[in-house]
Amino acid sequence: MRPSRQYNPARNQRGVGLVEVLIAVLIMGIGMLGVAAMQATALRNSQSSLERSQAVVQTYAILDAMRANRAIAIAAGYNMGMTCAAPTGTSLAATDRIAWINDMQQPTVLGTGACGQIDCVGAGGNHCTVTVQWDESRATADGSNAAASETYSIATQALL
């Protein structure tokens, strides 16, 4: 007569706990990669927002300098085409433009690719447009230079 074997449930499920743990680790790893991707996207968007804010600050900075030297600004003394190189000169308008371009090109502001343009036209030159252009390749998804140039422009009705 053969001894009867008893059914032992623990004996038949050997290794199942390990598979469950491995699946849980895999799911958690995929979730953590998703969190890391979201963090990288948020960082890029924050950088883009910072650069846009800096562009606004820089346009208002030169407009304030022009308002302080209103007579020269109305006489188109601040006009300059789109340039990334600091202009030359020793007049107050020239030193304001030099300081403006140099401030924009600081690494903590808009970087070395920042450029600016000032165009005062109209009756008495009191309608001015200030344009700031910068390289936004750090804010692109893949870090490439595709469509990396951003432009911000503001127009004033009068230099009061």
Side-chain angles (χ1 to χ4, degrees):
M1 191 178 228
R2 282 177 138 180
S4 66
R5 290 187 172 174
Q6 288 186 340
Y7 177 72
N8 185 357
R11 184 176 179 212
N12 294 335
Q13 293 187 9
R14 221 178 278 166
V16 173
L18 183 60
V19 171
E20 290 172 349
V21 169
L22 288 174
I23 291 172
V25 168
L26 177 69
I27 291 171
M28 184 178 273
I30 291 171
M32 295 304 275
L33 286 174
V35 169
M38 286 182 3
Q39 181 79 19
T41 300
L43 194 59
R44 275 193 311 272
N45 290 339
S46 293
Q47 179 67 28
S48 177
S49 177
L50 172 70
E51 290 174 352
R52 289 172 190 268
S53 296
Q54 289 292 341
V56 170
V57 168
Q58 291 301 319
T59 57
Y60 281 111
I62 193 64
L63 285 172
D64 286 342
M66 292 168 66
R67 285 185 184 105
N69 194 7
R70 188 173 187 272
I72 299 299
I74 289 174
Y78 280 85
N79 283 8
M80 65 181 205
M82 184 62 74
T83 183
C84 299
T88 58
T90 57
S91 68
L92 179 58
T95 56
D96 284 345
R97 291 180 299 169
I98 292 167
W100 180 55
I101 294 289
N102 288 337
D103 285 346
M104 282 193 304
Q105 292 182 346
Q106 295 296 316
T108 57
V109 182
L110 292 175
T112 56
C115 305
Q117 176 181 358
I118 303 170
D119 186 24
C120 294
V121 295
N126 61 355
H127 298 286
C128 296
T129 302
V130 176
T131 305
V132 174
Q133 187 175 21
W134 70 97
D135 176 25
E136 200 176 53
S137 61
R138 287 180 50 186
T140 58
D142 58 359
S144 69
N145 289 333
S149 181
E150 281 291 327
T151 302
Y152 176 77
S153 185
I154 190 166
T156 63
Q157 293 299 316
L159 290 171
L160 299 176

